[in-house]
Each structure stands twice: as C-alpha cells, then as structure tokens.
Amino acid sequence: LDKLNMLGSSISISVSNRMVTVELRSTAETFDKTAALLKLMLTEPTFDASELKRIKSTLKNELEDARENSKMHAELGLRNALWGNTDRRHSPTIDQLAGSIGNIGKKELDSNLKSFRQSFWQITFGGSNEQAKKFEKIANSVQMKVTEVKIQPQVLLNKPARTVFHEIPSRQNIDFAIGASLPLSIHDADFPALTMGIAILGKWGGFAGRLMSTVREKEGLTYSIYARAENFYRSEHGQWRIFTFFAPEKALQGVTSTLREITSIFKKGVTESELAAFKRIVKTQELLSHDSLVGYTGKIHGYHVLGLSPNEIDSLLKKQDELTVAEVNAAVKKYLNPKTLTVSA
C-alpha cells in the first residue's frame, strides 16, 4: 500500500451482499508498476503474524462500533426478514462475525486467498486498449477466472409483511428500512418501468422524489428519505427499499406519512408530467456520468456485474426513455402493494 501511495495510485476493497469489489486507480504513467503491485498482492502476501494481530484487533473494534450503527441494523433487519439464511443476501450477526475472527490464521488466509483469486471475476477496465491487454495478461497469470457463470433464479420466499425492531439505546433518532422482495429479475420486461416508478416515489439522492417533497419538505418529519430497487444479480430476484429516519416522537407520524405516499402511488399511479421530468433527470445523470472516467467505469462495471451486455445496457437506457405512463403505472400496481411491506427499525 505504501508503494502504491508513493506512485500516486490507490486500491480499495469492499464487500457487499457476499460479493467483493476491488477498485484500482493509477495514472497512465504509473500503470505498469501499479498493475505489478496488484499481482504481488494477489500472489505473494506475507500475512505477517504481528500484522494479523493488529488487523484482528482493528476488525473487532470496527464490529463493536457497528453495534451502534442503527442505519445498518435497520437495513440488515429488513434484508434478513426477506431472505433466508442460506441466501447470499442474508447477513450474519455481529456476534457471529466477531466470534469467527479468532479462528483465522495464516493457513486459513492462504487457503482463502487461493479460492478468492480463482473465483469468477468480472473486470471492467477504463483506459487504453494497450493497457487493457496488459491487465488481461496479469489476470491470466494469477489464474483469475474471467469466464461466464450461470446463476439459478433465487426462489422467492413467500413471507408475510412484518415489523422488525432492534434496540440501540444510545441513538437519538430511529432509522427505518421499509420494503419488500420483488418477484422479477433485471432482465424482465417490467424492470425499467418499475425502477422508474420507484424513482418517482423516492429517487435516491437529491430532492426530486415524492417522499422528499412531502415527508421532508411539506411536513418536516425527516432530513432524508429515499427509495430504490436493489440486491438484483443476473437472474436472481431483488427487493425494493425506502431509507429514512425520524425522531422518536415523530416516528409514528413519519411512518404513517411514508405509507400514505406509497399507497397513493400504488392506487393512483404517476402522472405524465412526473414521468417526463424523471426521464429528463435520468437522461441528464447518464450523460453527466460520462464526464468522469472513474465514475463511468464504475457505472459500466455495475451493469457488467449484473450480467448486462453492452447492447443490453443500451437497450435498457433506450427503454427507460421510451416508457409510457401506462407501463409505469402497471408495474407500480403489480409490485408496490403497501400490504406486502416489512418495516425494520
């Protein structure tokens, strides 16, 4: 990491929904040295005993901090209520994670690194064709499997709507995750229309969605309230979720207002003017993403991981721009029934 930093390069690794993402950045001038350092990390790690001890201590402290993360607990409470404990989206408890750290040593890490390296990888590269070919050679040399895999559709759990509560006495506000599983994949014809309807309800980021204009601006019950479809992967089903928070004395009123807006869009649908406005928003954001190589590479990688080819990405964006009110409202009516919602707080 020190050598990477001295080159002006960076690497970050994140884990979400049991999937690992490695993001590597460098300038064109330092690309060769940066790629060589990545190869070294993947093939010849030392796993020094003192370093492992420090890392374990750091991880345990981070897990203790996570006990107070009410937003995380709300989201995990919803996800675990929707998906069974054999599903990749189901998350272990903090106690389970903390208890497993002590059993990990150099032998386990060596074994896991080999499995990690030889897993199915998807690589999205932003740069010149010449650099891309060099990186492909490195991927092959460390036995990264960059090949297609078939994912069987996840059997949707037919769980009733419910409420899930996790008590964190130190928190002043109450974080909420409100949502339901969705019996469709990203390849289904309804997907573009449904995601547009969810954006109109509570577009993630900004102030455009109905929930922000009513629950926040008109009623002043929260600072942030957004909605999105998530946890889709290839042919697997996903879910939709609203994220927000309320002060304890405003919580009942806030949830009631949120459910009112969901019920309204479910029963009455969206309007022509709303759809036209959100088409412009989505199209403008798509164009702006092209201005940043890092941002655009990340966006294309997200589509790539979901199993969409370049032609399918173009087709999806074209379909979003051609959606009719009837198509959006049919999808909203089919999938956003408020009676199916689970509330996790």
Side-chain angles (χ1 to χ4, degrees), residues 8 11 30-31 39 59-60 67 108 157 210 237 276 306 310 318 332:
I11 187 171
T30 61
F31 168 75
K39 180 178 178 180
L59 282 174
K60 286 182 178 179
R67 293 184 191 279
E108 287 75 24
L157 298 176
R210 284 191 187 184
H237 297 155
L306 290 176
K318 186 172 184 288
V332 166

Side-chain angles (χ1 to χ4, degrees), residues 147-159:
T147 53
E148 185 61 86
V149 291
K150 298 296 183 184
I151 303 293
Q152 294 300 317
Q154 170 67 33
V155 177
L156 196 67
L157 298 176
N158 187 23
K159 289 193 172 183

Side-chain angles (χ1 to χ4, degrees), residues 66-185:
R67 293 184 191 279
E68 304 291 304
N69 188 335
S70 54
K71 179 181 176 182
M72 179 199 74
H73 284 293
E75 181 184 347
L76 294 187
L78 174 66
R79 193 189 303 170
N80 287 350
L82 299 180
W83 308 102
N85 57 14
T86 59
D87 188 274
R88 66 171 177 80
R89 287 157 289 201
H90 196 281
S91 295
T93 66
I94 289 175
D95 287 337
Q96 288 171 328
L97 290 171
S100 70
I101 290 175
N103 300 323
I104 298 172
K106 186 178 186 307
K107 180 180 177 182
E108 287 75 24
L109 287 173
D110 281 331
S111 174
N112 279 313
L113 180 68
K114 183 179 180 181
S115 173
F116 173 74
R117 196 173 62 235
Q118 296 180 356
S119 295
F120 167 58
W121 287 80
Q122 292 169 287
I123 298 174
T124 308
F125 190 91
S128 70
N129 289 334
E130 181 184 358
Q131 291 165 342
K133 289 177 182 176
K134 287 182 180 179
F135 197 84
E136 188 174 6
K137 287 181 180 178
I138 289 175
N140 291 333
S141 71
V142 297
Q143 296 177 296
M144 288 174 145
K145 292 182 180 177
V146 191
T147 53
E148 185 61 86
V149 291
K150 298 296 183 184
I151 303 293
Q152 294 300 317
Q154 170 67 33
V155 177
L156 196 67
L157 298 176
N158 187 23
K159 289 193 172 183
R162 59 186 293 197
T163 52
V164 181
F165 299 107
H166 185 94
E167 185 177 7
I168 306 176
S170 63
R171 304 302 293 175
Q172 291 183 314
N173 292 320
I174 302 175
D175 280 288
F176 284 88
I178 302 170
S181 51
L182 293 169
L184 82 168
S185 79

